[in-house]
PDB file of all heavy atoms in Angstrom:
ATOM      1  N   GLU A  31      16.065  81.404  -0.082  1.00  0.00           N
ATOM      2  CA  GLU A  31      16.835  82.644  -0.087  1.00  0.00           C
ATOM      3  C   GLU A  31      17.789  82.734  -1.274  1.00  0.00           C
ATOM      4  O   GLU A  31      18.003  83.817  -1.819  1.00  0.00           O
ATOM      5  CB  GLU A  31      17.609  82.793   1.221  1.00  0.00           C
ATOM      6  CG  GLU A  31      16.715  83.092   2.399  1.00  0.00           C
ATOM      7  CD  GLU A  31      17.502  83.387   3.657  1.00  0.00           C
ATOM      8  OE1 GLU A  31      18.508  84.119   3.560  1.00  0.00           O
ATOM      9  OE2 GLU A  31      17.107  82.885   4.711  1.00  0.00           O
ATOM     10  N   GLU A  32      18.365  81.609  -1.679  1.00  0.00           N
ATOM     11  CA  GLU A  32      19.326  81.610  -2.793  1.00  0.00           C
ATOM     12  C   GLU A  32      18.691  82.092  -4.090  1.00  0.00           C
ATOM     13  O   GLU A  32      19.305  82.833  -4.849  1.00  0.00           O
ATOM     14  CB  GLU A  32      19.913  80.216  -2.990  1.00  0.00           C
ATOM     15  CG  GLU A  32      20.916  79.823  -1.939  1.00  0.00           C
ATOM     16  CD  GLU A  32      21.544  78.465  -2.236  1.00  0.00           C
ATOM     17  OE1 GLU A  32      21.535  78.033  -3.408  1.00  0.00           O
ATOM     18  OE2 GLU A  32      22.049  77.854  -1.276  1.00  0.00           O
ATOM     19  N   THR A  33      17.473  81.645  -4.372  1.00  0.00           N
ATOM     20  CA  THR A  33      16.796  82.023  -5.613  1.00  0.00           C
ATOM     21  C   THR A  33      15.791  83.153  -5.408  1.00  0.00           C
ATOM     22  O   THR A  33      15.116  83.559  -6.346  1.00  0.00           O
ATOM     23  CB  THR A  33      16.069  80.811  -6.224  1.00  0.00           C
ATOM     24  OG1 THR A  33      15.073  80.352  -5.296  1.00  0.00           O
ATOM     25  CG2 THR A  33      17.037  79.689  -6.541  1.00  0.00           C
ATOM     26  N   SER A  34      15.671  83.632  -4.165  1.00  0.00           N
ATOM     27  CA  SER A  34      14.700  84.688  -3.823  1.00  0.00           C
ATOM     28  C   SER A  34      13.301  84.315  -4.284  1.00  0.00           C
ATOM     29  O   SER A  34      12.587  85.114  -4.883  1.00  0.00           O
ATOM     30  CB  SER A  34      15.109  86.031  -4.431  1.00  0.00           C
ATOM     31  OG  SER A  34      16.342  86.447  -3.932  1.00  0.00           O
ATOM     32  N   SER A  35      12.924  83.061  -3.993  1.00  0.00           N
ATOM     33  CA  SER A  35      11.594  82.604  -4.416  1.00  0.00           C
ATOM     34  C   SER A  35      10.807  82.052  -3.234  1.00  0.00           C
ATOM     35  O   SER A  35      11.377  81.618  -2.231  1.00  0.00           O
ATOM     36  CB  SER A  35      11.717  81.541  -5.509  1.00  0.00           C
ATOM     37  OG  SER A  35      12.360  80.395  -4.993  1.00  0.00           O
ATOM     38  N   ILE A  36       9.505  82.096  -3.376  1.00  0.00           N
ATOM     39  CA  ILE A  36       8.576  81.552  -2.381  1.00  0.00           C
ATOM     40  C   ILE A  36       7.622  80.645  -3.131  1.00  0.00           C
ATOM     41  O   ILE A  36       7.113  81.007  -4.193  1.00  0.00           O
ATOM     42  CB  ILE A  36       7.812  82.680  -1.669  1.00  0.00           C
ATOM     43  CG1 ILE A  36       8.793  83.545  -0.881  1.00  0.00           C
ATOM     44  CG2 ILE A  36       6.742  82.114  -0.755  1.00  0.00           C
ATOM     45  CD1 ILE A  36       8.203  84.804  -0.312  1.00  0.00           C
ATOM     46  N   SER A  37       7.387  79.461  -2.581  1.00  0.00           N
ATOM     47  CA  SER A  37       6.428  78.548  -3.210  1.00  0.00           C
ATOM     48  C   SER A  37       5.478  78.026  -2.149  1.00  0.00           C
ATOM     49  O   SER A  37       5.808  77.962  -0.970  1.00  0.00           O
ATOM     50  CB  SER A  37       7.146  77.392  -3.907  1.00  0.00           C
ATOM     51  OG  SER A  37       7.867  76.619  -2.960  1.00  0.00           O
ATOM     52  N   PHE A  38       4.273  77.673  -2.582  1.00  0.00           N
ATOM     53  CA  PHE A  38       3.267  77.114  -1.682  1.00  0.00           C
ATOM     54  C   PHE A  38       2.201  76.429  -2.523  1.00  0.00           C
ATOM     55  O   PHE A  38       2.118  76.628  -3.734  1.00  0.00           O
ATOM     56  CB  PHE A  38       2.644  78.203  -0.797  1.00  0.00           C
ATOM     57  CG  PHE A  38       2.001  79.323  -1.559  1.00  0.00           C
ATOM     58  CD1 PHE A  38       0.670  79.271  -1.930  1.00  0.00           C
ATOM     59  CD2 PHE A  38       2.743  80.436  -1.921  1.00  0.00           C
ATOM     60  CE1 PHE A  38       0.081  80.304  -2.629  1.00  0.00           C
ATOM     61  CE2 PHE A  38       2.176  81.479  -2.622  1.00  0.00           C
ATOM     62  CZ  PHE A  38       0.831  81.409  -2.977  1.00  0.00           C
ATOM     63  N   LYS A  39       1.388  75.617  -1.872  1.00  0.00           N
ATOM     64  CA  LYS A  39       0.257  74.967  -2.534  1.00  0.00           C
ATOM     65  C   LYS A  39      -1.024  75.560  -1.971  1.00  0.00           C
ATOM     66  O   LYS A  39      -1.107  75.872  -0.781  1.00  0.00           O
ATOM     67  CB  LYS A  39       0.286  73.457  -2.298  1.00  0.00           C
ATOM     68  CG  LYS A  39       1.453  72.788  -2.983  1.00  0.00           C
ATOM     69  CD  LYS A  39       1.411  71.296  -2.815  1.00  0.00           C
ATOM     70  CE  LYS A  39       2.589  70.663  -3.561  1.00  0.00           C
ATOM     71  NZ  LYS A  39       2.592  69.203  -3.433  1.00  0.00           N
ATOM     72  N   THR A  40      -2.020  75.724  -2.840  1.00  0.00           N
ATOM     73  CA  THR A  40      -3.303  76.263  -2.411  1.00  0.00           C
ATOM     74  C   THR A  40      -4.441  75.556  -3.130  1.00  0.00           C
ATOM     75  O   THR A  40      -4.271  75.093  -4.262  1.00  0.00           O
ATOM     76  CB  THR A  40      -3.383  77.786  -2.668  1.00  0.00           C
ATOM     77  OG1 THR A  40      -4.662  78.268  -2.224  1.00  0.00           O
ATOM     78  CG2 THR A  40      -3.206  78.133  -4.129  1.00  0.00           C
ATOM     79  N   VAL A  41      -5.578  75.476  -2.466  1.00  0.00           N
ATOM     80  CA  VAL A  41      -6.765  74.886  -3.081  1.00  0.00           C
ATOM     81  C   VAL A  41      -7.690  75.983  -3.607  1.00  0.00           C
ATOM     82  O   VAL A  41      -8.757  75.693  -4.123  1.00  0.00           O
ATOM     83  CB  VAL A  41      -7.527  73.974  -2.084  1.00  0.00           C
ATOM     84  CG1 VAL A  41      -6.661  72.790  -1.684  1.00  0.00           C
ATOM     85  CG2 VAL A  41      -7.987  74.750  -0.856  1.00  0.00           C
ATOM     86  N   ARG A  42      -7.272  77.241  -3.489  1.00  0.00           N
ATOM     87  CA  ARG A  42      -8.093  78.361  -3.947  1.00  0.00           C
ATOM     88  C   ARG A  42      -7.327  79.194  -4.977  1.00  0.00           C
ATOM     89  O   ARG A  42      -6.178  79.525  -4.782  1.00  0.00           O
ATOM     90  CB  ARG A  42      -8.471  79.264  -2.784  1.00  0.00           C
ATOM     91  CG  ARG A  42      -9.355  78.571  -1.796  1.00  0.00           C
ATOM     92  CD  ARG A  42      -9.884  79.579  -0.801  1.00  0.00           C
ATOM     93  NE  ARG A  42     -10.797  78.944   0.101  1.00  0.00           N
ATOM     94  CZ  ARG A  42     -12.106  78.897  -0.062  1.00  0.00           C
ATOM     95  NH1 ARG A  42     -12.661  79.466  -1.093  1.00  0.00           N
ATOM     96  NH2 ARG A  42     -12.867  78.295   0.826  1.00  0.00           N
ATOM     97  N   ILE A  43      -8.012  79.558  -6.044  1.00  0.00           N
ATOM     98  CA  ILE A  43      -7.474  80.483  -7.029  1.00  0.00           C
ATOM     99  C   ILE A  43      -8.245  81.782  -6.822  1.00  0.00           C
ATOM    100  O   ILE A  43      -9.367  81.945  -7.282  1.00  0.00           O
ATOM    101  CB  ILE A  43      -7.653  79.962  -8.471  1.00  0.00           C
ATOM    102  CG1 ILE A  43      -7.016  78.595  -8.621  1.00  0.00           C
ATOM    103  CG2 ILE A  43      -7.090  80.964  -9.467  1.00  0.00           C
ATOM    104  CD1 ILE A  43      -5.520  78.565  -8.398  1.00  0.00           C
ATOM    105  N   THR A  44      -7.638  82.703  -6.083  1.00  0.00           N
ATOM    106  CA  THR A  44      -8.282  83.964  -5.715  1.00  0.00           C
ATOM    107  C   THR A  44      -7.210  84.958  -5.309  1.00  0.00           C
ATOM    108  O   THR A  44      -6.022  84.722  -5.552  1.00  0.00           O
ATOM    109  CB  THR A  44      -9.294  83.724  -4.562  1.00  0.00           C
ATOM    110  OG1 THR A  44      -9.999  84.930  -4.299  1.00  0.00           O
ATOM    111  CG2 THR A  44      -8.608  83.223  -3.314  1.00  0.00           C
ATOM    112  N   GLU A  45      -7.589  86.070  -4.685  1.00  0.00           N
ATOM    113  CA  GLU A  45      -6.604  87.031  -4.197  1.00  0.00           C
ATOM    114  C   GLU A  45      -5.778  86.382  -3.101  1.00  0.00           C
ATOM    115  O   GLU A  45      -6.315  85.873  -2.124  1.00  0.00           O
ATOM    116  CB  GLU A  45      -7.280  88.286  -3.634  1.00  0.00           C
ATOM    117  CG  GLU A  45      -8.000  89.108  -4.675  1.00  0.00           C
ATOM    118  CD  GLU A  45      -9.455  88.721  -4.800  1.00  0.00           C
ATOM    119  OE1 GLU A  45      -9.873  87.711  -4.203  1.00  0.00           O
ATOM    120  OE2 GLU A  45     -10.177  89.419  -5.506  1.00  0.00           O
ATOM    121  N   LEU A  46      -4.461  86.367  -3.269  1.00  0.00           N
ATOM    122  CA  LEU A  46      -3.548  85.790  -2.287  1.00  0.00           C
ATOM    123  C   LEU A  46      -2.587  86.871  -1.803  1.00  0.00           C
ATOM    124  O   LEU A  46      -2.301  87.821  -2.530  1.00  0.00           O
ATOM    125  CB  LEU A  46      -2.744  84.642  -2.910  1.00  0.00           C
ATOM    126  CG  LEU A  46      -3.563  83.449  -3.398  1.00  0.00           C
ATOM    127  CD1 LEU A  46      -2.714  82.569  -4.295  1.00  0.00           C
ATOM    128  CD2 LEU A  46      -4.094  82.653  -2.225  1.00  0.00           C
ATOM    129  N   GLY A  47      -2.104  86.716  -0.589  1.00  0.00           N
ATOM    130  CA  GLY A  47      -1.164  87.701  -0.061  1.00  0.00           C
ATOM    131  C   GLY A  47      -0.279  87.110   1.010  1.00  0.00           C
ATOM    132  O   GLY A  47      -0.610  86.086   1.618  1.00  0.00           O
TER     133      GLY A  47
END
Side-chain angles (χ1 to χ4, degrees):
E31 289 186 43
E32 286 184 22
T33 62
S34 298
S35 64
I36 296 171
S37 62
F38 58 90
K39 293 184 178 180
T40 180
V41 296
R42 295 190 176 267
I43 304 297
T44 185
E45 294 92 351
L46 298 166

